[in-house]
Amino acid sequence: MSQLVFIVFQDNDDSRYLAEAVMEDNPHAEIQHQPALIRIQAEKRLVINRETMEEKLGRDWDVQEMLVNVISIGGNVDEDDDHFILEWK
């Protein structure tokens, strides 16, 4: 049985950096660009790392900044100052 987790962002400049960082940290993930949105999905687990986003942006980044651009999430969320993790438990 497939256990895909996913996150969907509005398609804007910030989300493009997010998508690039997520794909770097999750090479097993699939990305779909659709009109006005970016969907990233993976089997069982996706991790968004603060450190990777800071490298992409060239500035400090708070994990919660991402939530402004989120349209939808599928999976259980585990969040702290350094990571945003989606997984099925």
Side-chain angles (χ1 to χ4, degrees):
M1 184 168 134
S2 177
Q3 292 187 327
L4 288 178
V5 295
F6 67 87
I7 190 163
V8 182
F9 301 110
Q10 297 174 39
D11 190 355
N12 59 37
D13 290 338
D14 289 339
S15 295
R16 290 182 203 110
Y17 286 113
L18 271 165
E20 189 177 321
V22 172
M23 294 305 294
E24 183 176 313
D25 288 338
N26 302 273
H28 63 287
E30 297 175 14
I31 189 167
Q32 300 170 357
H33 293 270
Q34 299 176 12
L37 65 87
I38 301 169
R39 178 186 171 103
I40 301 172
Q41 63 186 29
E43 191 71 32
K44 295 186 182 175
R45 183 178 168 97
L46 270 175
V47 179
I48 299 169
N49 293 303
R50 179 187 51 80
E51 186 176 316
T52 307
M53 269 304 291
E54 289 180 344
E55 289 173 12
K56 298 290 178 196
L57 292 171
R59 65 170 177 84
D60 289 344
W61 183 75
D62 186 320
V63 173
Q64 291 194 355
E65 286 181 51
M66 165 189 78
L67 298 177
V68 171
N69 298 304
V70 172
I71 296 171
S72 184
I73 293 174
N76 300 112
V77 175
D78 182 12
E79 178 183 359
D80 61 29
D81 290 341
D82 296 320
H83 306 92
F84 186 91
I85 300 169
L86 286 171
E87 62 186 337
W88 290 114
K89 296 183 180 188

